[in-house]
Amino acid sequence: MNLPREPAPSRAAFRAALAVSPPATDGVRAALLLHIDGWVGIEERIGFVEAEALAGLVSATISARLTPDDARYALSIDETGLILQRADFAGIERLAETLRRELHEEIFTIRDQEVQLSVTLAWFRIGTVDTLDAMLHKLVSEARAASLKGGNTVIGVGVIAPAVQNDREDARIAGLTRRALAEDRMRLAFQSIASLEGGRHTHFDLQVRMVDEDGREWRATEFLPAAQKFNLMRSVDRWVIATALDIVQRRRGTRDAATLFIKLSEDTVRDAEAFILWLRGLLDGQRLKASEVVFQAQELVLQNHIRKARALTRELVELGAGVAIEHFGVGSNPRQMLDYIPAQFLKFHASYTQSFADREVRKRLGDLIEAAKQHRMKTIVSHVERADMMAKLWQMGIHFIQGYHVQEPEVVMLGEDLGVKR
């Protein structure tokens, strides 16, 4: 059944259309409410008549994205109701996200004025256990609440919404990451790894940041989980490595030369052969130096891909790089890992720092430090937040520490004078 395409003059028509039982289909039927953010302010700025013309242009943009099975209803000048039919939830999400993005990016011209706006969209699967009136109330109230908090977003409403909303948000963040990579909006932050033995040579842990289209800087924990979910980690790793090696090349021979610790994701370890081919091509016959570059991967990742990890780390050592095992000490047999992976550094899991007051934890840490000494490996303890812990770690034989007490990550430090943008 095709529902009416022309906008209805009242909310009652939207409610009546939602109450009609459609023919049985294999797809998903949803109600969507589109709310223009900050409408009162727009009216005050451009005028009431011009605002009405703007609402007409917004309606035209919406209509251009609908199919013959969809229906549109004008609930008010700043709110539009849609009844949508798609094959699955992803189709509903894609349409909502497309409308949000296109309306946000469009510059509308009303007489001699240019207007940009944003919208908030809330959708609800028709046919859930909620009553019709309850569904409509949720659509309206949640869309308006989200708009007041800043808007420019898509939200799912109802019993199936949380999981769908999480997937949608991950997809959105992955899209931001993909565009940031393409548009050179990734950044490196440098956190000091401080030596407890003294010495002038410096060591830094590299952390990747992303800058979105609005200029907001995202920390790794905010976007890397979504990047991993959508298979972007190989690209992220390669951007970090290429940028870091450029920094190393420019700093080589200067007093400011340092050792950079570069993280390798599980996807890169899993894709070891292709990664090594890429890295050899990037180096173009040049050799790395362990005093300049150390590649690090988590113990559990290495353990889960031990054959590839062993081959990969041996290749990295052959190319001249150093190797570190991070998040060390939580695997099923960490001592055995020391026999398989040719590492020069061990970075202990944060749990050893967080539970340092526990006598059993300190004993286990001491045993692993002794094992590292037998393998001539340098040890690093991260997440050091208290000054009193530093002396105790030095007494236990730890070589390096890092954490916010030592120094917070900084986006400049090694990069600003090298053209690495903030």
Side-chain angles (χ1 to χ4, degrees):
M1 180 188 76
N2 289 334
L3 294 167
R5 293 300 308 277
E6 292 301 317
S10 69
R11 299 176 182 181
F14 182 50
R15 185 188 186 285
L18 288 171
V20 175
S21 298
T25 66
D26 293 330
V28 174
R29 189 165 176 254
L32 185 147
L33 186 135
L34 183 148
H35 178 89
I36 302 176
D37 300 325
W39 182 253
V40 172
I42 293 174
E43 283 186 325
E44 291 177 348
R45 184 167 68 85
I46 69 174
F48 291 105
V49 175
E50 290 78 4
E52 185 175 12
L54 174 62
L57 295 177
V58 171
S59 295
T61 301
I62 296 170
S63 294
R65 283 292 178 181
L66 301 183
T67 72
D69 292 323
D70 299 329
R72 176 172 62 87
Y73 296 86
L75 307 184
S76 65
I77 194 169
D78 61 333
E79 289 184 332
T80 299
L82 301 175
I83 298 177
L84 307 172
Q85 182 75 39
R86 293 294 183 274
D88 51 29
F89 293 124
I92 302 292
E93 290 281 280
R94 282 194 298 271
L95 174 61
E97 179 60 27
T98 297
L99 289 173
R100 182 205 65 79
R101 186 184 70 253
E102 290 185 350
L103 289 169
H104 185 57
E105 294 175 351
E106 182 71 21
I107 299 177
F108 297 96
T109 301
I110 310 295
R111 294 187 182 178
D112 60 344
Q113 300 184 82
E114 293 184 339
V115 182
Q116 284 185 289
L117 53 79
S118 65
V119 297
T120 297
L121 302 100
W123 67 272
F124 195 109
R125 179 183 178 182
I126 300 172
T128 61
V129 295
D130 294 79
T131 65
L132 179 59
D133 288 334
M135 178 186 74
L136 287 171
H137 177 74
K138 286 182 179 180
L139 278 177
V140 174
S141 61
E142 296 204 20
R144 292 176 180 176
S147 180
L148 288 173
K149 293 178 181 178
N152 193 30
T153 189
V154 177
I155 56 175
V157 178
V159 293
I160 53 98
V164 175
Q165 179 67 11
N166 289 340
D167 288 342
R168 186 206 64 79
E169 180 65 7
D170 286 343
R172 185 183 74 85
I173 294 173
L176 291 176
T177 307
R178 192 178 290 109
R179 293 193 294 277
L181 285 165
E183 299 169 10
D184 193 27
R185 284 187 282 101
M186 307 297 287
R187 301 290 180 262
L188 288 181
F190 302 80
Q191 185 174 37
S192 176
I193 302 175
S195 174
L196 293 179
E197 300 178 312
R200 298 183 60 183
H201 188 77
T202 53
H203 301 72
F204 294 99
D205 197 19
L206 294 191
Q207 300 179 16
V208 66
R209 303 280 176 84
M210 175 187 72
V211 180
D212 63 22
E213 289 95 335
D214 297 323
R216 178 199 163 195
E217 186 175 278
W218 295 56
R219 293 180 179 273
T221 53
E222 295 178 294
F223 71 93
L224 288 188
Q228 182 175 11
K229 183 175 180 178
F230 285 85
N231 300 314
L232 295 175
M233 287 307 302
R234 293 179 182 87
S235 298
V236 173
D237 283 358
R238 294 184 184 193
W239 182 90
V240 171
I241 292 165
T243 305
L245 293 186
D246 181 56
I247 292 174
V248 167
Q249 179 66 29
R250 299 190 189 200
R251 302 295 277 194
R252 187 167 287 165
T254 70
R255 290 182 302 174
D256 298 321
T259 302
L260 303 185
F261 282 67
I262 306 173
K263 300 179 189 297
L264 298 179
S265 67
E266 183 169 11
D267 285 352
T268 292
V269 174
R270 190 185 291 116
D271 196 36
E273 292 182 7
F275 169 70
I276 287 295
L277 286 175
W278 173 83
L279 182 59
R280 288 186 182 279
L282 182 67
L283 293 173
D284 193 24
Q286 300 181 54
R287 281 187 59 78
L288 298 170
K289 295 181 180 180
S291 61
E292 295 175 335
V293 176
V294 176
F295 290 99
Q296 57 184 349
Q298 295 183 14
E299 178 191 5
L300 293 180
V301 169
L302 299 172
Q303 179 180 289
N304 291 339
H305 307 279
I306 189 63
R307 290 185 179 180
K308 288 187 175 183
R310 191 178 191 185
L312 171 61
T313 51
R314 285 179 172 179
E315 289 274 8
L316 292 172
V317 171
E318 184 179 313
L319 288 172
V323 172
I325 304 174
E326 66 169 342
H327 291 195
F328 181 71
V330 295
S332 58
N333 196 337
R335 286 174 174 268
Q336 188 179 38
M337 183 67 65
L338 304 185
D339 296 326
Y340 278 99
I341 303 299
Q344 292 78 49
F345 295 90
L346 296 179
K347 184 186 293 185
F348 288 97
H349 191 273
S351 59
Y352 286 95
T353 309
Q354 294 161 352
S355 303
F356 191 73
D358 188 302
R359 181 179 300 177
E360 290 300 317
V361 171
R362 289 200 307 274
K363 181 180 184 304
R364 179 173 171 79
L365 177 61
D367 291 343
L368 292 176
I369 291 172
E370 186 59 36
K373 288 179 181 178
Q374 295 172 7
H375 286 78
R376 298 182 179 179
M377 296 177 180
K378 297 287 188 179
T379 51
I380 305 170
V381 169
S382 64
H383 295 76
V384 176
E385 312 300 342
R386 303 195 319 270
D388 62 330
M389 189 180 295
M390 296 170 61
K392 295 176 182 177
L393 292 171
W394 178 78
Q395 291 172 353
M396 295 181 72
I398 291 293
H399 300 96
F400 298 91
I401 59 172
Q402 69 179 111
Y404 279 72
H405 175 75
V406 180
Q407 180 188 2
E408 294 187 20
E410 296 185 13
V411 177
V412 285
M413 293 191 63
L414 297 181
E416 192 169 51
D417 59 331
L418 302 175
V420 179
K421 302 174 184 176
R422 296 193 77 166

